[in-house]
Amino acid sequence: MSVKRLSPFLGSLLLLSVASAQVCANDFRHIADPLNLNDSLYVGFDGDVFKLGGSFATSHQKFSANTNLGGDKWHLGYLYSTQQVNFRASVVHGKTDTPRGKASHYQYQMGLMTEHQGWFATQVFTELAVNHLAVKSYKDSTAANANMTVLKPMTEHWYSEFYLQGNAGVDGVERYEARSWLALGYQINPQWSWVVRYQYDWEKLERFESEDTQWVFAVRSQF
């Protein structure tokens, strides 16, 4: 194929690519949607700890990660989403109280999430999952997990989030966990948002029990 014949073809291909990119760029779900399949960046303060993270997405999958600067608390996530099924999996590394003090733990979770359209444009996401906790030099525990996210856009820019999660041991080990938060966010445009939330955490592993509340502030983007 000569250069003269190739040039119109390349020009048409370039024009089609630009048009497609513009369509995809406007095809964003809400930035706080847990089933959002867009690349993203996250920078924020969790209590007094600086955290950063992000995600990489394809048409049906998303890989995400976040960590504190010390690297001792981190989260890896995976989402596979279609119109029929939404599968999520994650690995979390953190600390747990044991008879010998705080010990490193790994928490693995796999679950299925459903999406419901509520009243007045409210989106409700519910997930049922299996959660496995492995605490170094202590013991393992398997629990059933249920969580719910309520996302409510209040105006063109303002939105609120409510999150509730619970774990209950199913293998004979006494383990219970609860987490909830209430958040207020401002979506500057479809790509940029900031959010502030108040979070409550409670966990009990046999005779060890801990409770914590904290403020979280973050700036996030999607592209």
Side-chain angles (χ1 to χ4, degrees):
M1 183 180 290
S2 67
V3 174
K4 289 185 178 181
R5 292 182 180 180
L6 185 60
S7 297
F9 173 76
L10 292 176
S12 301
L13 184 61
L14 179 61
L15 182 62
L16 179 61
S17 299
V18 171
S20 300
Q22 290 175 342
V23 170
C24 292
N26 293 323
D27 191 25
F28 288 144
R29 297 186 65 145
H30 195 281
I31 199 167
D33 189 329
L35 298 178
N36 188 328
L37 286 173
N38 286 298
D39 299 337
S40 66
L41 292 174
Y42 170 99
V43 178
F45 287 90
D46 191 337
D48 59 352
V49 178
F50 181 74
K51 295 180 69 175
L52 54 89
S55 65
F56 170 76
T58 66
S59 59
H60 295 293
Q61 302 178 82
K62 182 167 70 174
F63 304 87
S64 60
N66 66 65
T67 182
N68 62 357
L69 287 185
D72 59 335
K73 293 184 179 180
W74 49 260
H75 175 279
L76 297 176
Y78 172 76
L79 166 66
Y80 181 83
S81 179
T82 66
Q83 293 182 347
Q84 290 77 32
V85 64
N86 301 297
F87 170 78
R88 301 207 308 173
S90 64
V91 181
V92 178
H93 180 259
K95 302 287 186 179
T96 296
D97 289 327
T98 73
R100 300 180 183 135
K102 285 190 176 292
S104 296
H105 77 238
Y106 291 90
Q107 192 163 186
Y108 310 89
Q109 182 164 306
M110 293 188 299
L112 294 176
M113 174 171 278
T114 59
E115 177 183 3
H116 308 277
Q117 193 69 37
W119 293 345
F120 305 109
T122 300
Q123 291 176 272
V124 181
F125 304 88
T126 56
E127 182 181 19
L128 296 176
V130 175
N131 180 291
H132 183 78
L133 176 69
V135 183
K136 184 177 180 180
S137 303
Y138 191 53
K139 61 177 60 178
D140 292 4
S141 170
T142 301
N145 174 281
N147 63 77
M148 176 181 68
T149 302
V150 180
L151 174 61
K152 169 61 178 172
M154 297 182 293
T155 68
E156 180 183 355
H157 296 285
W158 291 98
Y159 64 93
S160 63
E161 293 177 80
F162 174 71
Y163 178 80
L164 182 64
Q165 172 186 283
N167 284 338
V170 295
D171 61 351
V173 177
E174 186 181 11
R175 177 162 75 97
Y176 300 98
E177 296 177 0
R179 167 174 289 186
S180 65
W181 72 60
L182 184 62
L184 179 66
Y186 185 82
Q187 189 166 354
I188 302 168
N189 54 44
Q191 288 81 34
W192 288 94
S193 169
W194 60 260
V195 64
V196 58
R197 78 180 188 223
Y198 184 69
Q199 181 173 307
Y200 170 79
D201 292 285
W202 173 79
E203 58 181 329
K204 178 178 174 62
L205 179 59
E206 297 187 320
R207 68 179 185 275
F208 301 98
E209 185 174 347
S210 64
E211 189 177 30
D212 184 40
T213 59
Q214 58 188 325
W215 287 94
V216 176
F217 176 78
V219 175
R220 51 192 177 192
S221 67
Q222 63 175 359
F223 47 91

